[in-house]
Amino acid sequence: MFRFLKERYDKYDNWFNLEDEMRNYVLKSRFTCPSSKRNDLLYYNDLNYYLHFWMTTFGYITEYNEREEYNQDKSNSLDSTVNPHQIRIPDRNSVAYDIIKHIVLNESYFNQIISFNYTKLSNSLHCVLGETIGFNQPQFNIKFNQLPSVQYLHCNFNEGKVILGIEQDIMNKNHHRVKVPKAFSFLQKCNQFSSLSERQRAIENIVTADELVIFGHSLGIADADYYRPLFKDMFAEKPLQERKITIITRDNNRNILKQIEMYAEKDIFSHNNYNNIRYLYTDKKEESKIALSALFDGVLN
């Protein structure tokens, strides 16, 4: 599987969807072996053991390597004594940094942050808050405790274990669900969740939210279970409630619209709630900064 993924990485010469390609490997593979709960656990532990190496190889994780270098270089600096969550902020001109800064300045805007990522977002929130008001300010801890809680849906590397893999039934390119061969049952996310109630809570938070801001997410097949109930209800004949959705993405990406239509199971253009979805494109940097400020300021005012 690693060789297969490495070939994909070399082919695309850029970021690719790791879980999608794991699914493609399972769909194409003729590999068979006896499966048991014991084997599943052993294989899953091996997967987790190598995962950091994998994700570093494929360019998904750089933060931890950079942080080690940073700590070695700055061991006697002011940063290491003042900031207990040392982290290198790679690009202060990025939209991601702007979003985090808006969150720490307007801590009451979000009730909940759901992270699909594997790095600890609260470290970044801590760091940006410290840069904004000063780590040694008396109100720092109060402000930090007022920030919205972060739910790490797939755990994070700080916890020593992450959840990565495929669905219980995988979808082929014809959008038909097929059973996962027993040889690959250890890859199924449903067997890896430390708490299925945590997953269910995330789905409920997404589906019942009055307003959602989705950043850096392709709405891909791997996370269909979280988004399908949302869009299916949103474009139903009698939706449970109206909600606003802002999707922050790189450019005018037709794939995201196709995913929404697939989850809604209907043509969404003619539906009234289509106007409740707006897009913020990060390739238009100046426009996105203005739109991002308006997104936060509009509610606060």
Side-chain angles (χ1 to χ4, degrees), residues 167-226:
E167 313 83 59
Q168 191 165 0
D169 296 324
I170 53 179
M171 199 172 288
N172 61 22
K173 61 184 178 182
N174 297 320
H175 296 292
H176 295 141
R177 288 189 176 272
V178 297
K179 289 287 183 186
V180 174
K182 286 185 177 180
F184 297 104
S185 57
F186 74 96
L187 282 176
Q188 292 173 310
K189 284 183 184 177
C190 63
N191 295 328
Q192 300 169 20
F193 272 91
S194 54
S195 171
L196 288 174
S197 61
E198 184 83 354
R199 179 171 176 267
Q200 188 58 38
R201 185 164 66 89
I203 293 173
E204 289 172 4
N205 285 339
I206 291 171
V207 171
T208 60
D210 293 319
E211 181 171 4
L212 279 170
V213 177
I214 302 172
F215 171 64
H217 204 298
S218 65
L219 303 179
I221 294 173
D223 295 313
D225 289 345
Y226 303 103

Side-chain angles (χ1 to χ4, degrees), residues 48-256:
N48 256 275
Y49 180 78
Y50 286 110
L51 208 50
H52 190 281
F53 167 67
W54 283 28
M55 298 187 87
T56 304
T57 302
F58 300 136
Y60 284 80
I61 296 289
T62 57
E63 174 192 322
Y64 285 86
N65 293 343
E66 288 179 347
R67 190 163 59 180
E68 287 302 312
E69 294 171 12
Y70 182 82
N71 289 346
Q72 290 170 9
D73 294 343
K74 306 282 186 180
S75 56
N76 297 316
S77 72
L78 181 66
D79 284 340
S80 63
T81 56
V82 173
N83 178 9
H85 292 259
Q86 291 140 339
I87 186 169
R88 178 178 291 177
I89 302 294
D91 185 4
R92 286 173 175 78
N93 293 317
S94 68
V95 175
Y97 183 83
D98 272 355
I99 290 172
I100 292 176
K101 196 163 184 178
H102 279 293
I103 290 171
V104 301
L105 288 173
N106 309 305
E107 68 271 4
S108 61
Y109 186 84
F110 290 111
N111 293 328
Q112 175 81 48
I113 297 174
I114 299 175
S115 174
F116 287 75
N117 215 328
Y118 300 100
T119 54
K120 198 161 187 182
L121 179 60
S122 55
N123 285 357
S124 300
L125 292 168
H126 191 285
C127 188
V128 174
L129 178 64
E131 289 184 350
T132 305
I133 68 170
F135 287 100
N136 54 356
Q137 295 301 310
Q139 74 269 33
F140 178 83
N141 287 332
I142 296 172
K143 283 271 188 186
F144 185 72
N145 290 333
Q146 289 172 343
L147 292 175
S149 62
V150 182
Q151 183 182 10
Y152 299 97
L153 199 53
H154 300 137
C155 302
N156 61 78
F157 278 114
N158 290 57
E159 298 171 3
K161 181 180 179 179
V162 299
I163 294 168
L164 180 96
I166 57 179
E167 313 83 59
Q168 191 165 0
D169 296 324
I170 53 179
M171 199 172 288
N172 61 22
K173 61 184 178 182
N174 297 320
H175 296 292
H176 295 141
R177 288 189 176 272
V178 297
K179 289 287 183 186
V180 174
K182 286 185 177 180
F184 297 104
S185 57
F186 74 96
L187 282 176
Q188 292 173 310
K189 284 183 184 177
C190 63
N191 295 328
Q192 300 169 20
F193 272 91
S194 54
S195 171
L196 288 174
S197 61
E198 184 83 354
R199 179 171 176 267
Q200 188 58 38
R201 185 164 66 89
I203 293 173
E204 289 172 4
N205 285 339
I206 291 171
V207 171
T208 60
D210 293 319
E211 181 171 4
L212 279 170
V213 177
I214 302 172
F215 171 64
H217 204 298
S218 65
L219 303 179
I221 294 173
D223 295 313
D225 289 345
Y226 303 103
Y227 292 105
R228 184 182 288 109
L230 167 71
F231 291 111
K232 203 164 184 178
D233 169 61
M234 187 174 181
F235 294 101
E237 291 304 316
K238 293 182 178 179
L240 292 177
Q241 67 181 83
E242 287 190 7
R243 41 178 86 78
K244 293 179 182 177
I245 298 178
T246 301
I247 298 175
I248 304 174
T249 185
R250 182 167 181 247
D251 49 31
N252 193 349
N253 190 335
R254 291 284 303 174
N255 289 334
I256 289 180

